[in-house]
Amino acid sequence: MKNKFLAIVAASASVLVSALVSAPAHAQIVPGPNQNISVDVTVPEILYLRTITSATLALTPADFTGVALSQVGTTDAYIGSNQSAGSTLDQSSPFTVGSAITKPINTAYAVWSNSPRTGATGGINVSVSIPGTFANAAGTLPVAVTAGTNVSNQAAPGLTIPYVGNISLDITPSSTTSAGTYTGLVNVQVDAP
């Protein structure tokens, strides 16, 4: 009986193996059908301006004259003297007033832009203007301040590294301008034409 059972088991295993070997293989689909899809990615145009909030420009005695002046202690005051030759007093002023003194505001603004336009009017334009007057706390004795050469047409720098610019101001005190602090605004405008 034991031998019969073993013979049946052996015959069953043999039938199973032959069934597995003789079974048809499943079809392999490689690589299969494919299609392309047209996709449009729209990138917005960005123009971003960052400026400093304030700046202090100091005129020095050297901006007004070539004569020797000495600072009084640690104050913002200076003294000086000289003599005219002979017995005739030279009444001409040693100071140059009424002409522009150019002062820079370094690293005053940064612009990021991904403008697609190029050429003479493309990229970005930066312009600097003075929208009002510079006056002291009493609002009197204004100092004439104008924007120097500040208009700039640049290639769009992208959105990682900005175009960084300086501002040049022409300051013209008059002969009656008192010592002190004069405050006004400087406007920076940028566009991507």
Side-chain angles (χ1 to χ4, degrees), residues 100-142:
I101 300 166
T102 302
K103 291 289 182 176
I105 304 174
N106 293 321
T107 318
Y109 61 87
V111 180
W112 290 262
S113 173
N114 63 350
S115 171
R117 290 168 291 283
T118 58
T121 60
I124 58 171
N125 285 332
V126 181
S127 60
V128 177
S129 62
I130 310 298
T133 60
F134 278 65
N136 60 14
T140 59
L141 297 174

Side-chain angles (χ1 to χ4, degrees), residues 18 28 34 41-42 78 124 129 161 164 183 187:
S18 66
Q28 299 294 317
N34 67 83
V41 177
T42 302
Y78 297 82
I124 58 171
S129 62
I161 298 173
V164 177
T183 303
N187 180 266

Side-chain angles (χ1 to χ4, degrees), residues 77-99:
Y78 297 82
I79 58 173
S81 65
N82 69 358
Q83 290 182 318
S84 297
S87 60
T88 304
L89 181 64
D90 181 1
Q91 296 183 41
S92 61
S93 175
F95 303 101
T96 305
V97 291
S99 58

Side-chain angles (χ1 to χ4, degrees), residues 29-94:
I29 302 175
V30 177
N34 67 83
Q35 291 288 338
N36 292 328
I37 299 174
S38 176
V39 177
D40 292 331
V41 177
T42 302
V43 177
E45 185 174 348
I46 296 171
L47 180 63
Y48 192 88
L49 169 67
R50 178 181 290 154
T51 67
I52 59 176
T53 57
S54 62
T56 300
L57 301 177
L59 301 184
T60 65
D63 292 324
F64 295 100
T65 182
V67 300
L69 296 172
S70 300
Q71 188 171 6
V72 179
T74 58
T75 67
D76 192 22
Y78 297 82
I79 58 173
S81 65
N82 69 358
Q83 290 182 318
S84 297
S87 60
T88 304
L89 181 64
D90 181 1
Q91 296 183 41
S92 61
S93 175

